[in-house]
Amino acid sequence: MNATNRPDQISIGDHLTVGRLGFGAMKLTGDQVWGPYPEHDKAIHLLRGVVDAGITLIDTADVYGPHSNELLIREALYPYPADLVIATKGGFVRGGYDYSTLGAVGNTNYLRQSAHMSAERLGLEAIDLYYLHSGTATDAPFEDQVGVLAELRQAGLILNVGLSNVTLEQLRLAQAIVPIAAVTALYNLTARIGADLLGAAEQDGIVFSPWPPVTLTDGPLASRAAEVVPPIANAHGSTNEQVALAWQLQHSRQSLPIPGTTSLAHLKENVQAQSIVLTDVEMDALNNIAGNGSSNEGETS
């Protein structure tokens, strides 16, 4: 894919348009995503810097903190700029510092409550993009969980419905219930488990947010990436992570990466990655880290 296939904006659903690069706010929490971010004023300054940098989508979730991340975004940016889109998620609960306390909840009343409370914490009458945070809950049928989001969309509390951590089969089930505007999945240079969801997003013209978008040291393909990426970064005078982000942007027109950071300098680097234009030869080399550019070779889902 060449530079002509990477316009600066992408549509979410029928009515929203954002820049190709978003911001994931998850890191603006305490250690292990538990509790508030310890440097409060720094976090406020960073979020305002995100908007100043021209980023028009911020991604959060009620489980980040829990709740503190949504409240932080409101404190930093409310009243929101007219072009700012906020995406949040519901369906996970957290019982303590250890990740073992994280669990998926599909109870329909809980999901309904979660959406209303996220809107209140964010200061929104309607949430631009609301994700079901996981497809793994077993306490309610998946179709019922999606049905609640459909009801909330009909009522106007949610403008667009998204799905996170779901299978391709679940995406197709959900699309029979309500229009799906976006999906998120594990997909980067070193781990491409979400390749089938990316393919579906491209087929259907919906947004695909890869996570974590620039990881290079984890995943079954890390050793291959360590050989391929540095020479390309050197050729562009960039960092390895900037190449990984530029690849996401050029690899698919439907890709909307949402890298997170706690550093204004790193935020600037992420924004600058949008100006890197990888050649077809470089794109082929990066695609082929996975064997043939689209497979999940060496991975399990």
Side-chain angles (χ1 to χ4, degrees), residues 243-256:
V243 167
L245 193 51
W247 172 78
Q248 293 276 21
L249 293 168
Q250 284 185 233
H251 184 63
S252 173
R253 173 64 188 91
Q254 298 309 122
S255 181
L256 174 53

mmCIF file with all atom_site columns, all heavy atoms in Angstrom, residues 243-256:
data_model
loop_
_atom_site.group_PDB
_atom_site.id
_atom_site.type_symbol
_atom_site.label_atom_id
_atom_site.label_alt_id
_atom_site.label_comp_id
_atom_site.label_asym_id
_atom_site.label_entity_id
_atom_site.label_seq_id
_atom_site.pdbx_PDB_ins_code
_atom_site.Cartn_x
_atom_site.Cartn_y
_atom_site.Cartn_z
_atom_site.occupancy
_atom_site.B_iso_or_equiv
_atom_site.pdbx_formal_charge
_atom_site.auth_seq_id
_atom_site.auth_comp_id
_atom_site.auth_asym_id
_atom_site.auth_atom_id
_atom_site.pdbx_PDB_model_num
ATOM 1   N N   . VAL A 1 243 ? 8.273   3.667  12.889 1.00 0.00 ? 243 VAL A N   1
ATOM 2   C CA  . VAL A 1 243 ? 8.079   2.810  11.713 1.00 0.00 ? 243 VAL A CA  1
ATOM 3   C C   . VAL A 1 243 ? 6.889   1.881  11.941 1.00 0.00 ? 243 VAL A C   1
ATOM 4   O O   . VAL A 1 243 ? 6.062   1.684  11.043 1.00 0.00 ? 243 VAL A O   1
ATOM 5   C CB  . VAL A 1 243 ? 9.350   2.001  11.407 1.00 0.00 ? 243 VAL A CB  1
ATOM 6   C CG1 . VAL A 1 243 ? 9.065   0.893  10.393 1.00 0.00 ? 243 VAL A CG1 1
ATOM 7   C CG2 . VAL A 1 243 ? 10.446  2.926  10.884 1.00 0.00 ? 243 VAL A CG2 1
ATOM 8   N N   . ALA A 1 244 ? 6.791   1.318  13.135 1.00 0.00 ? 244 ALA A N   1
ATOM 9   C CA  . ALA A 1 244 ? 5.681   0.414  13.438 1.00 0.00 ? 244 ALA A CA  1
ATOM 10  C C   . ALA A 1 244 ? 4.342   1.138  13.321 1.00 0.00 ? 244 ALA A C   1
ATOM 11  O O   . ALA A 1 244 ? 3.354   0.577  12.837 1.00 0.00 ? 244 ALA A O   1
ATOM 12  C CB  . ALA A 1 244 ? 5.845   -0.165 14.840 1.00 0.00 ? 244 ALA A CB  1
ATOM 13  N N   . LEU A 1 245 ? 4.301   2.393  13.743 1.00 0.00 ? 245 LEU A N   1
ATOM 14  C CA  . LEU A 1 245 ? 3.068   3.165  13.663 1.00 0.00 ? 245 LEU A CA  1
ATOM 15  C C   . LEU A 1 245 ? 2.762   3.560  12.217 1.00 0.00 ? 245 LEU A C   1
ATOM 16  O O   . LEU A 1 245 ? 1.609   3.493  11.771 1.00 0.00 ? 245 LEU A O   1
ATOM 17  C CB  . LEU A 1 245 ? 3.185   4.400  14.548 1.00 0.00 ? 245 LEU A CB  1
ATOM 18  C CG  . LEU A 1 245 ? 1.922   5.194  14.853 1.00 0.00 ? 245 LEU A CG  1
ATOM 19  C CD1 . LEU A 1 245 ? 0.818   4.292  15.369 1.00 0.00 ? 245 LEU A CD1 1
ATOM 20  C CD2 . LEU A 1 245 ? 2.237   6.289  15.868 1.00 0.00 ? 245 LEU A CD2 1
ATOM 21  N N   . ALA A 1 246 ? 3.797   3.954  11.481 1.00 0.00 ? 246 ALA A N   1
ATOM 22  C CA  . ALA A 1 246 ? 3.600   4.287  10.063 1.00 0.00 ? 246 ALA A CA  1
ATOM 23  C C   . ALA A 1 246 ? 3.101   3.073  9.294  1.00 0.00 ? 246 ALA A C   1
ATOM 24  O O   . ALA A 1 246 ? 2.257   3.195  8.387  1.00 0.00 ? 246 ALA A O   1
ATOM 25  C CB  . ALA A 1 246 ? 4.907   4.803  9.468  1.00 0.00 ? 246 ALA A CB  1
ATOM 26  N N   . TRP A 1 247 ? 3.600   1.891  9.648  1.00 0.00 ? 247 TRP A N   1
ATOM 27  C CA  . TRP A 1 247 ? 3.130   0.660  9.001  1.00 0.00 ? 247 TRP A CA  1
ATOM 28  C C   . TRP A 1 247 ? 1.642   0.444  9.261  1.00 0.00 ? 247 TRP A C   1
ATOM 29  O O   . TRP A 1 247 ? 0.889   0.097  8.342  1.00 0.00 ? 247 TRP A O   1
ATOM 30  C CB  . TRP A 1 247 ? 3.928   -0.536 9.508  1.00 0.00 ? 247 TRP A CB  1
ATOM 31  C CG  . TRP A 1 247 ? 3.390   -1.853 9.051  1.00 0.00 ? 247 TRP A CG  1
ATOM 32  C CD1 . TRP A 1 247 ? 3.542   -2.431 7.820  1.00 0.00 ? 247 TRP A CD1 1
ATOM 33  C CD2 . TRP A 1 247 ? 2.594   -2.766 9.819  1.00 0.00 ? 247 TRP A CD2 1
ATOM 34  N NE1 . TRP A 1 247 ? 2.896   -3.645 7.769  1.00 0.00 ? 247 TRP A NE1 1
ATOM 35  C CE2 . TRP A 1 247 ? 2.306   -3.873 8.981  1.00 0.00 ? 247 TRP A CE2 1
ATOM 36  C CE3 . TRP A 1 247 ? 2.110   -2.765 11.126 1.00 0.00 ? 247 TRP A CE3 1
ATOM 37  C CZ2 . TRP A 1 247 ? 1.538   -4.960 9.429  1.00 0.00 ? 247 TRP A CZ2 1
ATOM 38  C CZ3 . TRP A 1 247 ? 1.355   -3.840 11.564 1.00 0.00 ? 247 TRP A CZ3 1
ATOM 39  C CH2 . TRP A 1 247 ? 1.079   -4.912 10.715 1.00 0.00 ? 247 TRP A CH2 1
ATOM 40  N N   . GLN A 1 248 ? 1.197   0.673  10.490 1.00 0.00 ? 248 GLN A N   1
ATOM 41  C CA  . GLN A 1 248 ? -0.222  0.509  10.793 1.00 0.00 ? 248 GLN A CA  1
ATOM 42  C C   . GLN A 1 248 ? -1.061  1.422  9.899  1.00 0.00 ? 248 GLN A C   1
ATOM 43  O O   . GLN A 1 248 ? -2.101  1.011  9.363  1.00 0.00 ? 248 GLN A O   1
ATOM 44  C CB  . GLN A 1 248 ? -0.498  0.845  12.266 1.00 0.00 ? 248 GLN A CB  1
ATOM 45  C CG  . GLN A 1 248 ? 0.106   -0.101 13.282 1.00 0.00 ? 248 GLN A CG  1
ATOM 46  C CD  . GLN A 1 248 ? -0.742  -1.336 13.536 1.00 0.00 ? 248 GLN A CD  1
ATOM 47  O OE1 . GLN A 1 248 ? -1.584  -1.719 12.722 1.00 0.00 ? 248 GLN A OE1 1
ATOM 48  N NE2 . GLN A 1 248 ? -0.511  -1.984 14.667 1.00 0.00 ? 248 GLN A NE2 1
ATOM 49  N N   . LEU A 1 249 ? -0.623  2.654  9.730  1.00 0.00 ? 249 LEU A N   1
ATOM 50  C CA  . LEU A 1 249 ? -1.386  3.624  8.962  1.00 0.00 ? 249 LEU A CA  1
ATOM 51  C C   . LEU A 1 249 ? -1.435  3.278  7.476  1.00 0.00 ? 249 LEU A C   1
ATOM 52  O O   . LEU A 1 249 ? -2.440  3.511  6.808  1.00 0.00 ? 249 LEU A O   1
ATOM 53  C CB  . LEU A 1 249 ? -0.799  5.027  9.157  1.00 0.00 ? 249 LEU A CB  1
ATOM 54  C CG  . LEU A 1 249 ? -0.947  5.605  10.574 1.00 0.00 ? 249 LEU A CG  1
ATOM 55  C CD1 . LEU A 1 249 ? -0.078  6.849  10.729 1.00 0.00 ? 249 LEU A CD1 1
ATOM 56  C CD2 . LEU A 1 249 ? -2.401  5.924  10.880 1.00 0.00 ? 249 LEU A CD2 1
ATOM 57  N N   . GLN A 1 250 ? -0.342  2.719  6.952  1.00 0.00 ? 250 GLN A N   1
ATOM 58  C CA  . GLN A 1 250 ? -0.301  2.388  5.533  1.00 0.00 ? 250 GLN A CA  1
ATOM 59  C C   . GLN A 1 250 ? -0.805  0.987  5.235  1.00 0.00 ? 250 GLN A C   1
ATOM 60  O O   . GLN A 1 250 ? -1.243  0.707  4.117  1.00 0.00 ? 250 GLN A O   1
ATOM 61  C CB  . GLN A 1 250 ? 1.126   2.533  4.993  1.00 0.00 ? 250 GLN A CB  1
ATOM 62  C CG  . GLN A 1 250 ? 1.535   3.972  4.786  1.00 0.00 ? 250 GLN A CG  1
ATOM 63  C CD  . GLN A 1 250 ? 2.902   4.108  4.134  1.00 0.00 ? 250 GLN A CD  1
ATOM 64  O OE1 . GLN A 1 250 ? 3.770   4.799  4.648  1.00 0.00 ? 250 GLN A OE1 1
ATOM 65  N NE2 . GLN A 1 250 ? 3.100   3.455  3.015  1.00 0.00 ? 250 GLN A NE2 1
ATOM 66  N N   . HIS A 1 251 ? -0.766  0.123  6.228  1.00 0.00 ? 251 HIS A N   1
ATOM 67  C CA  . HIS A 1 251 ? -1.144  -1.276 6.016  1.00 0.00 ? 251 HIS A CA  1
ATOM 68  C C   . HIS A 1 251 ? -2.618  -1.427 5.688  1.00 0.00 ? 251 HIS A C   1
ATOM 69  O O   . HIS A 1 251 ? -3.005  -2.294 4.913  1.00 0.00 ? 251 HIS A O   1
ATOM 70  C CB  . HIS A 1 251 ? -0.794  -2.072 7.273  1.00 0.00 ? 251 HIS A CB  1
ATOM 71  C CG  . HIS A 1 251 ? -1.043  -3.540 7.162  1.00 0.00 ? 251 HIS A CG  1
ATOM 72  N ND1 . HIS A 1 251 ? -0.392  -4.347 6.260  1.00 0.00 ? 251 HIS A ND1 1
ATOM 73  C CD2 . HIS A 1 251 ? -1.889  -4.353 7.841  1.00 0.00 ? 251 HIS A CD2 1
ATOM 74  C CE1 . HIS A 1 251 ? -0.804  -5.586 6.395  1.00 0.00 ? 251 HIS A CE1 1
ATOM 75  N NE2 . HIS A 1 251 ? -1.726  -5.621 7.342  1.00 0.00 ? 251 HIS A NE2 1
ATOM 76  N N   . SER A 1 252 ? -3.456  -0.564 6.283  1.00 0.00 ? 252 SER A N   1
ATOM 77  C CA  . SER A 1 252 ? -4.892  -0.657 6.020  1.00 0.00 ? 252 SER A CA  1
ATOM 78  C C   . SER A 1 252 ? -5.524  0.713  6.108  1.00 0.00 ? 252 SER A C   1
ATOM 79  O O   . SER A 1 252 ? -5.282  1.471  7.058  1.00 0.00 ? 252 SER A O   1
ATOM 80  C CB  . SER A 1 252 ? -5.575  -1.586 7.018  1.00 0.00 ? 252 SER A CB  1
ATOM 81  O OG  . SER A 1 252 ? -6.986  -1.548 6.854  1.00 0.00 ? 252 SER A OG  1
ATOM 82  N N   . ARG A 1 253 ? -6.357  1.014  5.132  1.00 0.00 ? 253 ARG A N   1
ATOM 83  C CA  . ARG A 1 253 ? -7.106  2.270  5.141  1.00 0.00 ? 253 ARG A CA  1
ATOM 84  C C   . ARG A 1 253 ? -8.058  2.347  6.334  1.00 0.00 ? 253 ARG A C   1
ATOM 85  O O   . ARG A 1 253 ? -8.418  3.440  6.789  1.00 0.00 ? 253 ARG A O   1
ATOM 86  C CB  . ARG A 1 253 ? -7.903  2.397  3.827  1.00 0.00 ? 253 ARG A CB  1
ATOM 87  C CG  . ARG A 1 253 ? -8.859  3.577  3.763  1.00 0.00 ? 253 ARG A CG  1
ATOM 88  C CD  . ARG A 1 253 ? -8.137  4.918  3.822  1.00 0.00 ? 253 ARG A CD  1
ATOM 89  N NE  . ARG A 1 253 ? -9.064  6.033  3.943  1.00 0.00 ? 253 ARG A NE  1
ATOM 90  C CZ  . ARG A 1 253 ? -9.483  6.556  5.095  1.00 0.00 ? 253 ARG A CZ  1
ATOM 91  N NH1 . ARG A 1 253 ? -9.063  6.047  6.254  1.00 0.00 ? 253 ARG A NH1 1
ATOM 92  N NH2 . ARG A 1 253 ? -10.322 7.582  5.114  1.00 0.00 ? 253 ARG A NH2 1
ATOM 93  N N   . GLN A 1 254 ? -8.472  1.216  6.866  1.00 0.00 ? 254 GLN A N   1
ATOM 94  C CA  . GLN A 1 254 ? -9.433  1.203  7.974  1.00 0.00 ? 254 GLN A CA  1
ATOM 95  C C   . GLN A 1 254 ? -8.757  1.270  9.332  1.00 0.00 ? 254 GLN A C   1
ATOM 96  O O   . GLN A 1 254 ? -9.434  1.279  10.362 1.00 0.00 ? 254 GLN A O   1
ATOM 97  C CB  . GLN A 1 254 ? -10.300 -0.050 7.894  1.00 0.00 ? 254 GLN A CB  1
ATOM 98  C CG  . GLN A 1 254 ? -11.145 -0.152 6.630  1.00 0.00 ? 254 GLN A CG  1
ATOM 99  C CD  . GLN A 1 254 ? -11.957 1.098  6.369  1.00 0.00 ? 254 GLN A CD  1
ATOM 100 O OE1 . GLN A 1 254 ? -11.840 1.724  5.322  1.00 0.00 ? 254 GLN A OE1 1
ATOM 101 N NE2 . GLN A 1 254 ? -12.789 1.471  7.335  1.00 0.00 ? 254 GLN A NE2 1
ATOM 102 N N   . SER A 1 255 ? -7.439  1.311  9.361  1.00 0.00 ? 255 SER A N   1
ATOM 103 C CA  . SER A 1 255 ? -6.724  1.290  10.630 1.00 0.00 ? 255 SER A CA  1
ATOM 104 C C   . SER A 1 255 ? -6.769  2.647  11.320 1.00 0.00 ? 255 SER A C   1
ATOM 105 O O   . SER A 1 255 ? -6.497  3.684  10.715 1.00 0.00 ? 255 SER A O   1
ATOM 106 C CB  . SER A 1 255 ? -5.269  0.872  10.399 1.00 0.00 ? 255 SER A CB  1
ATOM 107 O OG  . SER A 1 255 ? -4.563  0.823  11.626 1.00 0.00 ? 255 SER A OG  1
ATOM 108 N N   . LEU A 1 256 ? -7.091  2.629  12.608 1.00 0.00 ? 256 LEU A N   1
ATOM 109 C CA  . LEU A 1 256 ? -7.091  3.823  13.449 1.00 0.00 ? 256 LEU A CA  1
ATOM 110 C C   . LEU A 1 256 ? -6.321  3.490  14.730 1.00 0.00 ? 256 LEU A C   1
ATOM 111 O O   . LEU A 1 256 ? -6.903  3.120  15.749 1.00 0.00 ? 256 LEU A O   1
ATOM 112 C CB  . LEU A 1 256 ? -8.525  4.259  13.767 1.00 0.00 ? 256 LEU A CB  1
ATOM 113 C CG  . LEU A 1 256 ? -8.726  5.417  14.754 1.00 0.00 ? 256 LEU A CG  1
ATOM 114 C CD1 . LEU A 1 256 ? -7.928  6.646  14.355 1.00 0.00 ? 256 LEU A CD1 1
ATOM 115 C CD2 . LEU A 1 256 ? -10.194 5.755  14.893 1.00 0.00 ? 256 LEU A CD2 1
#
